[in-house]
Amino acid sequence: MGCGIFGVINYDNQPVFPYVYWGLRAQNHRGHQSHGFLTYSNGEFYAYKNLDLVPKVKGDAINEWFSRLPGSIGIGNVRYTTSGKCDDVSIVQGTQPFVASIDGIKVALSFNGNIVNTQPLKKEMTEHFPNFVYNCDSDLVCHKMLLGLKQTNDLVLAAKSVMESLDGAFSVTGITCDGTFFAFKDPHGIKPLCAGHDPKSKTYAFSSETVSLDMNSFVRDFELNPGELVTVSKEGFKRIQVIPNPRPAFCAFEFAYFARPDSIFNGKYVYEIREEFGRNIVKEFPQIAKDGDIILSVPETGDDSAMGVHEESGLRWERASRRHRYVTERAFILLNAERYSTIDKKINILDAKVKDKRVIITEDSIVRGDTTSVIIEKLRKAGAKKVYVFVTFPRIIGPCFYGIDMSSYGQLVGSRHNADEIAKIIGADGVCYQSLEGLLAAIGKKEDDLCLACVTGKYPTPCAQKIADAMKKRFQEGYEEKGRIYENEEVQP
């Protein structure tokens, strides 16, 4: 699931709810559907979960929150659904953090990622936990961790069992019933997870993105390595490489779309990388750039690349596309029926600024093509002479199995059409994708260090590769996909 996680421990016995709260507020962009907080005090877990964005907390209600969520250890989660059902009841049931217990052993987890080999894991969990009910893959991660603790009574061995058994992406922070605070990543490190501390070295935290550390005035220490388990004590972080890292495969889509621009990955602010994306596209398509009059961005993920296009081309970046700030739904996350209406309401085009102009739009990616086609239609109605689309992420040809909800070939316009065909479908005069080489150069990593499965068809985990290949063959033969591929029992190995 596409989530944001945050966890924190304080060694002055201070309540940590404010840290968890602001840590999640900083990551609201990672999950709009639900949010949850969990704290630990004197051997007990205390939880609060609800739908929608992390809410504002009024000053006169803070004592109520402290009494509801006491304790000096806490974890939290913001979620959007990439497994399980999408109705409100199911979303509530799948809201994290999750707690599992058996025979006096208890563990609470906040998880970001997606599990591919769900069918055999469901069977295994049912055998060991007779009352097990599957709501989403968070259930599987939490119960697998609990099973490892029950069988080994050792946190390192339990984490190793999870890493070896689960095919997919998982960055996790959690708390055991004895108050042990920990975090770990899958063997490929697909999802982000960093660690930091407060200036007094009394408080230590894990976070999906560095912005949550910034929000709490923490110092960033390190990004967890693939296959690494980290525990925390008064002396600080203890890092344990649980299993060898077969190949790092950090999600490349974080750089183009998912992460906040003021987060840091690979030693760079994300916005700096996105600006370089924009410069690259101008270099790769100089004639198109020369034919433009103005640059327009799809706010807000297209804003940083628009700056790069402006700097490299010299064209004016006309701020004539504006996002309605309080229409907060992410069209990418929404169901098909909701998406068009929300996009139309979310983006406002200033007609007088684009009339009779040849417009270059900067866009982070094209998944279904819905957002871009709506904006192009609005530009045409406003009188734009030409509309070109500069896309920072290379053409997406395959589904993601690791926590971005583009989970079937049929919903991806790039799986069936090339750039020229996509331009016709969305109503553009041209669609210009940044090359894979340009993307890698801007990020500063090699292809083998990233997960680029949605672009190359090469999945870093074996079960995902088998399912993708099996469904691709069926899709090309005319098979109509039913829901998410990795939840289709017909193609599970």
Side-chain angles (χ1 to χ4, degrees), residues 249-267:
F250 188 86
C251 173
F253 207 52
E254 291 280 353
F255 295 98
Y257 173 78
F258 218 74
R260 261 181 54 163
D262 46 343
S263 280
I264 296 175
F265 292 143
N266 200 33

Side-chain angles (χ1 to χ4, degrees), residues 214-443:
D214 298 338
M215 183 72 88
N216 283 300
S217 300
F218 288 176
V219 177
R220 178 185 182 274
D221 289 310
F222 56 90
E223 180 77 17
L224 272 71
N225 289 323
E228 182 177 45
L229 169 71
V230 182
T231 57
V232 185
S233 68
K234 289 182 179 180
E235 286 69 45
F237 297 108
K238 180 181 180 182
R239 305 179 67 176
I240 306 161
Q241 190 64 43
V242 176
I243 61 174
N245 171 20
R247 176 173 93 77
F250 188 86
C251 173
F253 207 52
E254 291 280 353
F255 295 98
Y257 173 78
F258 218 74
R260 261 181 54 163
D262 46 343
S263 280
I264 296 175
F265 292 143
N266 200 33
K268 299 179 183 178
Y269 285 107
V270 171
Y271 85 86
E272 295 177 306
I273 295 169
R274 291 174 182 169
E275 287 179 349
E276 187 63 19
F277 288 166
R279 288 188 280 269
N280 285 345
I281 300 178
V282 174
K283 294 173 185 176
E284 293 174 6
F285 298 93
Q287 295 306 315
I288 299 293
K290 288 179 182 178
D291 195 43
D293 294 317
I294 60 170
I295 303 157
L296 215 66
S297 63
V298 176
E300 294 171 342
T301 51
D303 289 352
D304 297 316
S305 58
M307 174 60 79
V309 174
H310 159 68
E311 290 177 338
E312 188 65 30
S313 69
L315 293 173
R316 176 177 172 78
W317 176 15
E318 186 65 74
R319 304 300 296 276
S321 56
R322 295 288 174 165
R323 177 178 173 269
H324 293 291
R325 184 175 297 176
Y326 301 108
V327 180
T328 56
E329 293 85 352
R330 277 185 119 167
F332 179 82
I333 295 172
L334 294 172
L335 302 176
N336 292 337
E338 304 169 297
R339 195 172 292 117
Y340 182 94
S341 175
T342 299
I343 296 165
D344 189 39
K345 290 178 173 63
K346 191 173 183 177
I347 306 296
N348 191 31
I349 301 296
L350 311 186
D351 295 6
K353 296 294 185 180
V354 301
K355 183 176 173 59
D356 298 325
K357 296 289 197 302
R358 294 167 295 184
V359 180
I360 293 174
I361 303 175
T362 56
E363 174 70 288
D364 57 82
S365 59
I366 295 179
V367 179
R368 302 169 181 89
D370 297 339
T371 301
T372 317
S373 61
V374 173
I375 292 170
I376 292 171
E377 182 180 335
K378 296 181 80 159
L379 287 169
R380 298 289 190 194
K381 289 179 180 177
K385 286 170 61 177
K386 286 185 178 181
V387 181
Y388 299 107
V389 185
F390 280 11
V391 189
T392 59
F393 201 71
R395 181 164 60 98
I396 296 171
I397 63 169
C400 176
F401 291 177
Y402 303 122
I404 307 294
D405 200 14
M406 43 188 195
S407 52
S408 66
Y409 288 98
Q411 69 185 145
L412 305 174
V413 67
S415 70
R416 306 180 304 277
H417 302 284
N418 61 31
D420 291 339
E421 292 168 339
I422 292 170
K424 293 178 181 178
I425 291 168
I426 65 176
D429 292 282
V431 171
C432 305
Y433 287 98
Q434 181 184 200
S435 67
L436 177 57
E437 293 74 19
L439 181 92
L440 295 172
I443 293 173

